[in-house]
Amino acid sequence: LIQQRCSDDRGEGKKVNGKISTNENGKKGKKRSCDVSKRDKDKLTFLYLNARSVANKMDELTVIVNLWEPDVVGVTESWANENNFDTEYELEGYRMFRHDRPSGNRGGGVLLYARNELEPSEVVPRTEYPEHCWCKINGVNRDEVFIRVCDRTGTEKIFGPKNHSQL
């Protein structure tokens, strides 16, 4: 969980840590602004997004990541494929791990980002489960922490009947 101090406000966006807060729909009215400067540096923070195609949402993801400064970001339903370059999905200050759904199948795919200062390294487990990424990071007190993001399709048509047992 991201530790934060939040308050409700009415009117235009206000500055929070030098950044302008806005409401989700861009309209006037009740807004929620959060002070993320009070984040506890002794705890890892995570951000998760089911993107349903992250390519057209990278600007928003970048803003959210810059505001919240999570240690780890997991994205499911990236919809990335072999026609997309890694550079299209990079986040400054993070190492990215990526696993796309095989071509010919729309949707799926996962992205996993970890802060560079956590010294992330890829982990490749022995499994036939198709849509997942693992990495190892140096967590609090330099303990090794293993992180995984996976996408579990609800249909056997894509990966067959053993998909769920492989998870």
Side-chain angles (χ1 to χ4, degrees):
L1 295 173
I2 297 175
Q3 295 188 347
Q4 60 190 344
R5 293 181 332 170
C6 296
S7 62
D8 289 331
D9 185 30
R10 291 204 177 269
E12 297 300 319
K14 67 177 185 176
K15 282 197 172 190
V16 177
N17 298 330
K19 299 176 183 170
I20 302 294
S21 65
T22 59
N23 65 355
E24 298 80 30
N25 57 13
K27 296 180 181 177
K28 290 182 180 180
K30 192 173 185 180
K31 300 181 178 47
R32 187 172 194 159
S33 59
C34 298
D35 180 359
V36 295
S37 66
K38 304 297 181 195
R39 190 178 85 161
D40 187 345
K41 298 292 183 183
D42 291 332
K43 296 180 181 176
L44 292 173
T45 57
F46 297 84
L47 175 68
Y48 167 75
L49 169 69
N50 183 327
R52 291 188 47 88
S53 182
V54 74
N56 62 349
K57 299 174 179 84
M58 281 306 297
D59 288 341
E60 291 88 348
L61 180 59
T62 300
V63 168
I64 290 168
V65 167
N66 287 336
L67 178 63
W68 292 99
E69 299 177 348
D71 296 306
V72 177
V73 179
V75 179
T76 56
E77 293 291 334
S78 67
W79 293 17
N81 61 53
E82 70 275 356
N83 296 320
N84 302 114
F85 297 104
D86 284 349
T87 55
E88 296 177 57
Y89 302 108
E90 289 178 348
L91 291 173
E92 187 176 338
Y94 290 81
R95 177 155 180 215
M96 179 186 71
F97 304 93
R98 170 181 169 183
H99 195 279
D100 301 341
R101 181 170 284 176
S103 62
N105 295 299
R106 182 175 177 227
V110 294
L111 300 171
L112 178 61
Y113 301 90
R115 283 187 169 286
N116 290 334
E117 60 259 25
L118 297 173
E119 302 173 14
S121 59
E122 185 172 19
V123 174
V124 181
R126 285 184 246 161
T127 179
E128 294 180 26
Y129 190 78
E131 289 186 272
H132 63 110
C133 290
W134 288 79
C135 76
K136 178 178 70 171
I137 61 173
N138 291 319
V140 178
N141 301 322
R142 307 286 296 166
D143 294 331
E144 287 186 341
V145 178
F146 292 86
I147 308 289
R148 172 180 139 176
V149 63
C150 67
D151 185 42
R152 181 178 158 248
T153 181
T155 178
E156 293 181 356
K157 293 177 186 176
I158 296 174
F159 296 118
K162 294 183 179 181
N163 187 45
H164 299 292
S165 64
Q166 292 171 347
L167 179 60

